[in-house]
Amino acid sequence: MIAIRFDRFGGPEVLTPVELPTPTPGEGEVLITVEAAGVNFADTHRTDGSYLDADQLPHIPGSEVVGRTADGRRVLAWVSNGYAEQVVAAGSRLVEIPDDLDAAQALALNMQGLTAWHLLRSAARMSAGETVVVHSAAGGVGSLAVQLAKEFGAGRVLAQVSTPAKERLVLDLGADEIAGYPLREPADVVLDAVGGQLFDQALDSLASFGRLVTYGNASRGGFTPVDPARLGRLNASVVGFWLRPTLAAPGAIEGPLKELFRLTATGRLRPVVGGDYPLTEARRAHEDLLARRTVGKVVLRP
């Protein structure tokens, strides 16, 4: 089978197609023939060494796939080596999905959808009527967060994006307006995956008792130290968020994922699929993701 592997840390250029034996399932595991593998920003950190140690090389990235088991079930699965034609997954890490649900949409609802849901519900604890600002609003998480904020009753949703084409997309998804700093009115909630200067601008734009939820550093500009005295003067808070420990809590996956599937099936939520690449072009997918040329969910297809 073909898989995408890197033997040293670096940029997208280290991602290389290789021929490997089909993996053998262990006890409690199943073999999945991959229909599509999700590409996430975290994969770029694994590739450059931010998430891995040198003793874990060589490594096949990818944490989620849609595919079929040997007995014919179509499943969404959490895995550790997803950029491959076939993978193994723990039987407890599978969710059966309907045949009429597009694989890329299912993957969007998994990692990005659960992130957006928990950012608003668990981290920000958004209330109806509040003003929500979403950074990187055309991305996989952001495009769903814009829609979910409206679905959860936000009074106004402002979207921060980087190009006119992305402005048109997020307005079509339901954003009330494009966010530009300084904001005309303070925000109750800001979802930030960018960091750097944008984080500082957002923090100063919070309303009293506002919450800035930080869940990434796409700018690669480093994290801004936060002075507790500054938070006191602003009467605001900064909330850190990481999906992995969040999903370890009881009920953190099944209930939210069921709601996301239902909203999609009824047309109230539209997962955006922005990049569909052949598996062997994983390098190009990472290049486009890092250059912010993509929108929505990016997937690789064997």
Side-chain angles (χ1 to χ4, degrees), residues 1-4 32-38 65-67 82-87 103 107 276-281 299-302:
M1 70 164 194
I2 295 175
I4 303 299
I32 298 171
T33 298
V34 176
E35 179 183 344
V65 300
V66 165
Y83 289 13
E85 291 181 318
Q86 293 179 297
V87 299
L107 289 165
D276 203 312
Y277 300 78
L279 176 64
T280 53
E281 296 186 21
V299 300
L300 302 173
R301 295 189 187 262

Side-chain angles (χ1 to χ4, degrees), residues 2-8 11-20 47 58-61 83 279-284:
I2 295 175
I4 303 299
R5 190 176 71 184
F6 58 90
D7 302 326
R8 59 185 174 85
E13 72 281 353
V14 303
L15 296 171
T16 305
V18 295
E19 186 75 33
L20 296 174
T47 304
H59 185 74
I60 299 170
Y83 289 13
L279 176 64
T280 53
E281 296 186 21
R283 171 178 176 171
R284 182 165 65 89

Side-chain angles (χ1 to χ4, degrees), residues 80-99:
S80 58
N81 304 113
Y83 289 13
E85 291 181 318
Q86 293 179 297
V87 299
V88 294
S92 60
R93 304 281 283 174
L94 308 180
V95 175
E96 292 194 38
I97 60 174
D99 287 344

Side-chain angles (χ1 to χ4, degrees), residues 12-262:
E13 72 281 353
V14 303
L15 296 171
T16 305
V18 295
E19 186 75 33
L20 296 174
T22 298
T24 301
E27 185 176 354
E29 294 181 327
V30 296
L31 180 67
I32 298 171
T33 298
V34 176
E35 179 183 344
V39 177
N40 297 294
F41 207 87
D43 298 341
T44 69
H45 287 293
R46 292 185 178 91
T47 304
D48 68 18
S50 303
Y51 280 10
L52 297 176
D53 296 323
D55 59 4
Q56 294 173 278
L57 296 177
H59 185 74
I60 299 170
S63 57
E64 54 175 354
V65 300
V66 165
R68 287 200 182 272
T69 61
D71 59 4
R73 290 175 294 155
R74 189 168 185 254
V75 297
L76 171 66
W78 288 266
V79 298
S80 58
N81 304 113
Y83 289 13
E85 291 181 318
Q86 293 179 297
V87 299
V88 294
S92 60
R93 304 281 283 174
L94 308 180
V95 175
E96 292 194 38
I97 60 174
D99 287 344
D100 60 356
L101 179 60
D102 177 73
Q105 288 191 324
L107 289 165
L109 295 175
N110 182 43
M111 202 72 73
Q112 281 74 28
L114 287 171
T115 297
W117 193 98
H118 281 290
L119 282 170
L120 292 164
R121 290 295 203 203
S122 305
R125 301 189 181 185
M126 191 205 91
S127 298
E130 291 190 314
T131 295
V132 177
V133 178
V134 180
H135 293 171
S136 302
V141 173
S143 60
L144 290 167
V146 166
Q147 298 176 76
L148 288 174
K150 297 294 284 189
E151 181 69 29
F152 296 162
R156 294 172 67 237
V157 177
L158 282 63
Q160 181 274 327
V161 292
S162 57
T163 69
K166 292 179 179 181
E167 289 182 4
R168 291 190 293 271
L169 171 65
V170 295
L171 291 172
D172 183 56
L173 291 175
D176 294 291
E177 63 181 90
I178 302 302
Y181 290 104
L183 301 178
R184 289 201 298 268
E185 297 178 7
D188 299 294
V189 172
V190 178
L191 306 182
D192 175 51
V194 180
Q197 183 181 18
L198 204 58
F199 175 95
D200 271 335
Q201 292 173 323
L203 186 55
D204 286 331
S205 299
L206 287 177
S208 184
F209 295 108
R211 290 88 68 204
L212 194 168
V213 184
T214 174
Y215 66 103
N217 182 32
S219 69
R220 311 250 172 169
F223 290 98
T224 302
V226 178
D227 181 0
R230 182 183 181 192
L231 295 179
R233 291 191 299 271
L234 293 169
N235 204 24
S237 60
V238 173
V239 182
F241 177 84
W242 188 19
L243 184 63
R244 182 182 296 176
T246 301
L247 296 185
I253 296 176
E254 294 83 357
L257 204 54
K258 183 177 180 180
E259 181 177 9
L260 293 169
F261 284 162
R262 176 180 58 80

